């Protein structure tokens, strides 16, 4: 009896402790099962929300990539088209430059011919005038040497051969014959001299008329050359302007292509990072869901086993670490938090002269008629010749003024057109730059926010990892202590059963795998107190091993999360730097464009003001240039007819 009492006393305390331990484990298990359900619900919501957000970001990135590829192809096509058009302008410029040189060469030859012919006419007119004067001054008794001015006429190319023969016949007459004759014979000589004078005067008038026609033709040729050169110059300037514009546009297209390629690289990198993150997240979430179901099933079976064990050993206890329980390892699943956002210048204007020196309408002819009545015959003829000369000079002056007006108006029109187009283009470019800067600002803000969220997520993950590591280390230590205590209890029980001669079958079942949370791994055991204690000891050993494995897996998951987060952060930081640099470049370009717009607008205003200044003399003259030229030609023809009447020519 004493031995039996002693055995009972020694067995009570361990069993009661085991029961207390099991009851604490049951309560802890129920609470942790509920906490795990709540934790997994929040984790599943995170998985669903993050998956939706990442898929949306990837889809937007794919759309943006397709748009950027299409833009790049368009920029390449536009640059190739502009290259062909620039080559066409180069060909036109070369051809028109050759035309200008050829026209200038032909004009120089025409001018040289004119100068030679005009000089011949002028020398002939001058020689005729001097010869006529000499003949008129010589009435009789003249010496042969006094006809030197008349002999000069034989050397002039324009004097007809018949005239030269008449002059030679006159000059070869013996002057002594004139001294031997009577007065009637002298009269006969004077009759011969008068015939030569009349012949020379007709030649003089003919040469003057022909010289006048020559001068008029030269004036017309010069005017036609000036108009041709003006047209070619305008075409050259327009072609050069168009070429420069297209060259600038081509450079912009190529720059836009480079920018789009940069955006494409950035977008592709971010999309790929998001896709990798999504793939990892989906795989992790699916694994977590499977593990959760297994864990819940194991927890249910565990609680049932604990309840049954309590029922079996309700009167038993385990000494040592009795107040300890098998803590469950709160595994915190790590998931990374990421975000991404991505993200414009006549030919015929009515030409009039600025200052009209003279307007010789019918009043000029009236003035000439008054002078014919009042002045001597010779003075009237000189006056008419002078007036014809003056009218021709005025015609030349007016033609020069018209040419000047044509040039100024054409240049001003081109300037106004160019500046207007430039102003419109600058407005469009400024609007585009402002929109792009606003978009870049928004993208930078979103990326900065995403980087901040990544930093916060990594900091939170680090804190959780430290807490989890501390918990796991404590769990491992407690499991070791519990194994020691249970081993002690088993020793006591085995010694007792040995004394009682009873054999105990020790059965052990392996616990199902868990994913990453603390797992105690307790199972029910039907084979007595010793078997139960051996199961408890095995559970503590498995808890230690699983906790070490869970700690290693959690550390690996944490390292993977931190690596992916750092890569994502580096990609977003690079994107921020690229967009910030691009924003600064566009802000600088915006400042330059605004300055260009201000300067171009001032140039346009100045061109408009100059056009208003040209109008009174070049546009608003009241009578067209052609009408003035026609009227002046009619006046010259009338004066020439009057001169011929005064010379005794038959106009009929």
């Amino acid at each position: 009896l004493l031995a039996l009492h002693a055995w009972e006393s020694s067995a009570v305390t361990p069993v009661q402790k085991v029961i207390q331990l099991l009851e604490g484990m049951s309560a802890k298990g129920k609470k942790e099962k509920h906490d795990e359900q709540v934790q997994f619900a929040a984790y599943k919501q995170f998985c669903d929300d993050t998956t939706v957000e990442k898929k949306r970001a990837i889809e937007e990135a794919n759309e943006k990539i397709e748009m950027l590829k299409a833009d790049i192809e368009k920029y390449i096509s536009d640059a190739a088209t502009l290259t062909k058009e620039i080559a066409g302008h180069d060909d036109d410029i070369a051809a028109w430059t050759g035309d200008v040189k050829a026209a200038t060469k032909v004009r120089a030859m025409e001018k040289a011919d004119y100068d030679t012919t005009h000089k011949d006419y002028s020398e002939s007119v001058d020689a005729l005038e001097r010869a006529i004067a000499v003949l008129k001054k010589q009435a009789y008794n003249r010496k042969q040497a006094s006809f030197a001015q008349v002999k000069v006429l034989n050397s002039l190319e324009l004097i007809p051969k018949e005239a030269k023969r008449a002059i030679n016949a006159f000059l070869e007459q013996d002057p002594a014959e004139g001294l031997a004759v009577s007065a009637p014979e002298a009269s006969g000589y004077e009759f011969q001299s008068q015939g030569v004078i009349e012949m020379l005067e007709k030649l003089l008038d003919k040469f003057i008329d022909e010289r006048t026609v020559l001068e008029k033709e030269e004036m017309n040729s010069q005017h036609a050359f000036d108009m041709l050169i003006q047209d070619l110059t305008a075409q050259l300037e327009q072609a050069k302007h168009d070429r420069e514009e297209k060259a600038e546009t081509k450079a912009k297209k190529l720059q836009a292509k480079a920018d789009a390629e940069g955006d494409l690289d950035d977008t592709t990198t971010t999309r790929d990072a998001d896709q990798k993150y999504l793939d990892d997240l989906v795989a992790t979430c699916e694994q977590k869901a499977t593990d959760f179901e297994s864990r819940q099933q194991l927890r249910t079976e565990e609680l049932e086993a604990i309840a049954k064990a309590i029922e079996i050993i309700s009167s038993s206890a385990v000494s040592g670490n009795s107040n300890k329980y098998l803590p469950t390892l709160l595994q915190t699943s790590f998931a990374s938090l990421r975000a991404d956002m991505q993200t414009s210048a006549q030919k015929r204007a009515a030409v009039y002269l600025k200052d009209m020196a003279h307007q010789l309408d019918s009043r000029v002819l009236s003035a000439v008629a008054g002078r014919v009545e009042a002045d001597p015959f010779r003075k009237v003829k000189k006056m008419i010749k002078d007036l014809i000369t003056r009218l021709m000079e005025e015609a030349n002056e007016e033609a020069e003024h018209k040419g000047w007006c044509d040039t100024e108006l054409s240049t001003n029109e081109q300037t106004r057109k160019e500046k207007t187009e430039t102003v419109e283009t600058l407005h469009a470019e400024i609007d585009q730059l402002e929109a792009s800067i606003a978009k870049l600002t928004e993208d930078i803000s979103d990326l900065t926010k995403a980087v901040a969220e990544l930093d916060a997520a990594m900091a939170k993950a680090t804190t959780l990892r430290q807490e989890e590591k501390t918990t796991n280390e404590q769990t491992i230590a407690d499991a070791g202590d519990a194994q020691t205590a249970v081993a002690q209890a088993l020793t006591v029980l085995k010694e007792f059963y040995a004394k009682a001669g009873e054999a105990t079958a020790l059965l052990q079942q392996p616990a199902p795998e868990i994913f990453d949370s603390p797992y105690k791994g307790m199972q029910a055991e039907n084979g007595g107190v010793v078997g139960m204690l051996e199961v408890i000891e095995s559970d503590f050993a498995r808890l230690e091993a699983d906790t070490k494995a869970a700690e290693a897996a959690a550390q690996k998951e944490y390292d993977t999360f931190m690596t992916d987060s750092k890569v994502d952060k580096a990609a977003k930081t690079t994107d921020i730097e690229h967009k910030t640099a691009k924003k600064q470049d566009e802000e600088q370009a915006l400042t330059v464009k605004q300055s260009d717009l201000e300067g171009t607008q001032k140039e346009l205003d100045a061109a408009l003001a100059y056009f208003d200044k040209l109008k009174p003399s070049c546009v608003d003259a009241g009578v067209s240039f052609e009408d003035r030229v026609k009227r002046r030609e009619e006046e010259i023809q009338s004066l020439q007819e009057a001169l011929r009447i005064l010379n005794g020519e038959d106009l009929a």
Side-chain angles (χ1 to χ4, degrees), residues 159-170:
I159 302 298
K161 293 181 178 180
E162 294 79 5
K164 290 182 178 180
R165 286 196 294 268
I167 294 172
N168 289 331
F170 172 76

Side-chain angles (χ1 to χ4, degrees), residues 516-527:
D516 59 355
S517 62
Y519 180 67
K520 299 180 180 180
M522 297 181 292
Q523 299 182 14
E525 179 58 44
N526 297 327

